[in-house]
């Protein structure tokens, strides 16, 4: 029976795939974190959210700064008011995947 253990760290990975025949544009990902978890003290530490896919820095994983980061026209950030992890992927070519990874701590 799964249960939450205070202080436990959980890692989430969200993968978006374009299985279509043309490029997908302006892909917005927003994942609201539940109240039982926190990311640092309700603000992410630099490098906790990462964004990786072939069209950003040749596929290298990019870490978001505390206030968010921009990689060309792609961004990732954390909105503390709503506890939401955000990513905007400008273009995902057909057959490509993008990955957003972040960690949370159980309160």
């Amino acid at each position: 029976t799964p249960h939450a253990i205070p202080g436990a760290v959980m890692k989430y990975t969200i993968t978006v795939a374009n299985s279509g025949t043309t490029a997908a544009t302006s892909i917005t990902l927003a994942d609201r974190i539940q109240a039982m978890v926190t990311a640092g003290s309700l603000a992410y530490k630099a490098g906790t959210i990462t964004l990786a896919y072939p069209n950003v820095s040749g596929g290298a994983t990019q870490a978001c700064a505390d206030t968010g980061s921009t990689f060309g026209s792609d961004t990732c950030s954390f909105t503390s008011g709503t506890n939401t992890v955000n990513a905007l992927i400008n273009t995902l070519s057909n057959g490509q995947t993008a990955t957003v990874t972040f960690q949370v701590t159980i309160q």
Side-chain angles (χ1 to χ4, degrees):
T1 306
H3 57 280
I5 301 169
V9 176
M10 298 171 43
K11 180 179 180 181
Y12 289 89
T13 301
I14 300 170
T15 303
V16 179
N18 180 0
S19 59
T21 57
T22 59
T25 59
S26 299
I27 301 162
T28 302
L29 179 138
D31 190 22
R32 187 168 185 184
I33 298 171
Q34 298 198 11
M36 66 184 279
V37 298
T38 133
S41 51
L42 297 181
Y44 273 88
K45 297 176 185 169
T48 301
I49 305 171
T50 61
L51 173 64
Y53 73 103
N55 294 341
V56 60
S57 301
T61 299
Q62 299 295 319
C64 289
D66 293 343
T67 57
S69 295
T70 301
F71 312 106
S73 55
D74 307 298
T75 62
C76 50
S77 63
F78 177 72
T79 305
S80 59
T82 59
N83 285 355
T84 304
V85 173
N86 308 288
L88 172 63
I89 300 164
N90 186 48
T91 303
L92 193 61
S93 299
N94 58 311
Q96 290 184 333
T97 59
T99 303
V100 178
T101 304
F102 58 95
Q103 294 181 341
V104 296
T105 303
I106 302 290
Q107 294 181 348

